[in-house]
Amino acid sequence: MPDLPVIYVLNGPNLNLLGEREPHIYGRETLSDIEARCVGAAGGEANIVFRQTNHEGVLVDWIQEARTQAQALLINPAAYGHTSVALHDALKALSIPVIELHLSNPATREAFRHRSFVSSAATGVIAGLGARGYALAIQAALDIIRERA
Ligand code: CA2
C-alpha cells in the first residue's frame, strides 16, 4: 500500500490561547479540539502534522521542512500573516499546495488585519468560518493532492 500523504497544519502566535479568551471572535474550541477535527477530516487518508509556535523563525523552519516532508501545507499565520515578509518568502519556495486559514474574517476587522503577506503565496484562503474552516481546508488539500497525483 502506498504511503499516506502528509499534511502540515501550522499555527502562529497566541493560537495556543484559543478557548480561553475572546470566544465571540475565535470560538470556544481549543487548539487540541481543532487538531482532533483535522485528524477526523482526514479520515485516515492523510497523516496530519499539527503544530503551534509563538516564534516567526520557527514557522519559517517548519515551512522549509514541509518542502521535503509534506504533500500540502495549511497555515494559520495569526498576526504574522499581516506583518511577515519572511513567511511570504518561505511559502513562495514551496511547490506543494498551501492553504491560508483564519478562524475570523480579517477583512471585517481592524484595517491592520486587511493586509496579508501570506495570501499572495497561497493556493487558497479560508477565513471567517471558525474551526470548521480547518476541516474544509483538509478536504480541499486532499482533493488537490489527488488531482496532482
Ligand atoms: O482569525 C484568525 O484565525 C487570526 O489568524 C487570529 C489571529 C489574528 O491576529 C488574525 O488577525 C486572525 C490572533 C490569534 C490570537 O488568538 C487568541 C485566541 C484567544 C485569546 C487571545 C488570542
Side-chain angles (χ1 to χ4, degrees), residues 57-93:
V58 173
L59 280 174
V60 170
D61 287 342
W62 289 345
I63 292 167
Q64 290 187 11
E65 184 184 300
R67 294 173 70 207
T68 55
Q69 302 301 314
Q71 279 64 56
L73 184 143
L74 279 44
I75 182 164
N76 184 342
Y80 288 140
H82 311 306
T83 62
S84 178
V85 177
L87 285 190
H88 174 91
D89 289 345
L91 290 167
K92 281 296 238 187

Side-chain angles (χ1 to χ4, degrees), residues 26-27 29-30 33-34 37-38 101-103 129-136:
Y26 300 121
E29 288 186 41
T30 66
D33 295 332
I34 294 175
R37 264 190 193 256
C38 288
L101 280 170
H102 295 284
L103 294 156
L129 303 180
R132 69 176 68 78
Y134 281 70
L136 294 170

Side-chain angles (χ1 to χ4, degrees), residues 4-16:
L4 288 177
V6 175
I7 301 177
Y8 272 32
V9 185
L10 304 183
N11 294 279
N14 298 308
L15 287 165
N16 54 310

Side-chain angles (χ1 to χ4, degrees), residues 17-45:
L17 299 177
L18 280 180
E20 288 182 27
R21 282 179 36 214
E22 307 201 82
H24 55 294
I25 301 175
Y26 300 121
R28 296 196 177 279
E29 288 186 41
T30 66
L31 207 55
S32 295
D33 295 332
I34 294 175
E35 179 174 7
R37 264 190 193 256
C38 288
V39 171
E45 301 287 314

Side-chain angles (χ1 to χ4, degrees), residues 135-147:
L136 294 170
I138 294 283
Q139 287 164 14
L142 272 172
D143 271 1
I144 297 168
I145 291 166
R146 288 186 189 118
E147 258 172 29

